[in-house]
C-alpha cells in the first residue's frame, strides 16, 4: 500500500519509479515517506533501500527555448536515433559555486553565439545533474559506421572545426595515459539526442 500511488517518470538517461509529491525537502511528510519506502522488504531483500528524495520535473518541459535540443527530437518524431556533436559543457560538478540558472544562461549564450556564426547549435539542460551541454548539428543513424568505425563526412567537418571539448568555457584536459602529468585536450563527442 505504500507504493499504491507510484508512477514512472522518464529521464534523459532512462526511467525511474517515484512515489509521493511534496512541496520540497522541508515538507514534513517527505522524510517519513523516504524512510517508509527504504524499509520495504521482499522476503529478505530491501529493493528500495537506496531510495531518496528528488525533484520530479526539473527539465521545465513547458519552457522549451527556441534552440533547445529537445526540439530536434520533436521535429523528427519518426527517427529512431538522432545524434549531435557535444562541443561544450557547463556544470558546477558538485561544488555549488555556480547556480543552475547561471549554468543554463552560459550554455544558452554560447548556443546563441554559435547560431550567430550560422551553425545549427542547440543546448540541453539537465538540472538534476546541474549540467548544460551545447551541441552542433542533427545526424541520423548514418552519422557513424560501426563496421568501419568512421564518422560521416558531415560529422567530421564539425569535429575538425571544434576538436576540443570546452568545460565551463575552457578546454578540458586529460592525462595522455593513467598516472601521467602530461595532458591533451578532451575531444568533442557524438551524443544521442534525448527522447
Amino acid at each position: 500500500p505504500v507504493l499504491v500511488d507510484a508512477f514512472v517518470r522518464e529521464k534523459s538517461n532512462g526511467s525511474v519509479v517515484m512515489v509521493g509529491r511534496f512541496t520540497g525537502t522541508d515538507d514534513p511528510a517527505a522524510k517519513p515517506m523516504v524512510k517508509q519506502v527504504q524499509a520495504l522488504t521482499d522476503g529478505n531483500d530491501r529493493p528500495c533501500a537506496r531510495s531518496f528524495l528528488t525533484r520530479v520535473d526539473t527539465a521545465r518541459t513547458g519552457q522549451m527555448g527556441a534552440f533547445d535540443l529537445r526540439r530536434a527530437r520533436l521535429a523528427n518524431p519518426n527517427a529512431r536515433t538522432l545524434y549531435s556533436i557535444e562541443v561544450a559543457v557547463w556544470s558546477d560538478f558538485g561544488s555549488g559555486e555556480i547556480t543552475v540558472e547561471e549554468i543554463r544562461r552560459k550554455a544558452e549564450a554560447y548556443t546563441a553565439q554559435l547560431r550567430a556564426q550560422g551553425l545549427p547549435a542547440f543546448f540541453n539542460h539537465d538540472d538534476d545533474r546541474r549540467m548544460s551541454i551545447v551541441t552542433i548539428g542533427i545526424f541520423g543513424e548514418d552519422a557513424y559506421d560501426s563496421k568501419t568505425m568512421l564518422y560521416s563526412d558531415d560529422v567530421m567537418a564539425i569535429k575538425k572545426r571544434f576538436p576540443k571539448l570546452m568545460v565551463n568555457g575552457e578546454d578540458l584536459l586529460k592525462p595522455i595515459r593513467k598516472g601521467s602529468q602530461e595532458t591533451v585536450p578532451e575531444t568533442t563527442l557524438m551524443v544521442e539526442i534525448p527522447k
Side-chain angles (χ1 to χ4, degrees):
V2 173
L3 301 178
V4 70
D5 294 324
F7 57 99
V8 175
R9 185 64 134 203
E10 286 188 34
K11 300 189 67 94
S12 60
N13 57 349
S15 298
V16 294
V17 176
M18 299 182 139
V19 64
R21 293 186 189 273
F22 310 101
T23 58
T25 56
D26 57 349
D27 186 319
K31 288 184 182 174
M33 174 61 89
V34 171
K35 288 185 179 183
Q36 201 174 1
V37 170
Q38 289 173 336
L40 290 172
T41 59
D42 180 19
N44 291 331
D45 295 329
R46 290 182 44 214
C48 302
R50 292 176 148 183
S51 298
F52 56 92
L53 194 61
T54 187
R55 292 175 289 181
V56 174
D57 190 4
T58 60
R60 300 181 191 183
T61 54
Q63 300 179 11
M64 198 179 302
F67 306 123
D68 192 309
L69 189 58
R70 294 173 295 170
R71 285 195 184 275
R73 174 57 68 185
L74 292 175
N76 297 279
N78 297 325
R80 196 176 89 202
T81 308
L82 290 174
Y83 299 100
S84 193
I85 306 302
E86 183 177 320
V87 296
V89 176
W90 274 269
S91 178
D92 73 345
F93 298 103
S95 70
E97 294 175 4
I98 307 172
T99 66
V100 170
E101 289 305 319
E102 188 175 355
I103 290 168
R104 289 171 148 264
R105 187 179 47 75
K106 289 185 178 202
E108 290 178 25
Y110 187 56
T111 300
Q113 180 184 338
L114 294 172
R115 285 271 172 172
Q117 298 172 30
L119 295 163
F122 300 90
F123 60 81
N124 187 49
H125 303 306
D126 185 338
D127 291 354
D128 288 331
R129 295 173 59 201
R130 298 179 62 91
M131 178 182 291
S132 292
I133 66 169
V134 175
T135 70
I136 298 176
I138 301 171
F139 308 98
E141 294 181 31
D142 59 347
Y144 178 76
D145 185 333
S146 60
K147 291 179 184 171
T148 63
M149 297 176 33
L150 297 174
Y151 292 108
S152 70
D153 291 343
D154 292 339
V155 170
M156 283 309 298
I158 292 173
K159 288 181 76 56
K160 282 181 183 173
R161 185 165 175 186
F162 296 89
K164 301 173 188 175
L165 180 65
M166 283 191 350
V167 176
N168 294 342
E170 299 178 3
D171 294 342
L172 175 64
L173 301 176
K174 64 178 184 178
I176 59 170
R177 63 186 156 282
K178 191 174 180 178
S180 174
Q181 297 298 320
E182 192 176 345
T183 59
V184 294
E186 181 71 65
T187 59
T188 54
L189 55 144
M190 190 167 68
V191 295
E192 186 173 350
I193 296 176
K195 295 179 180 172

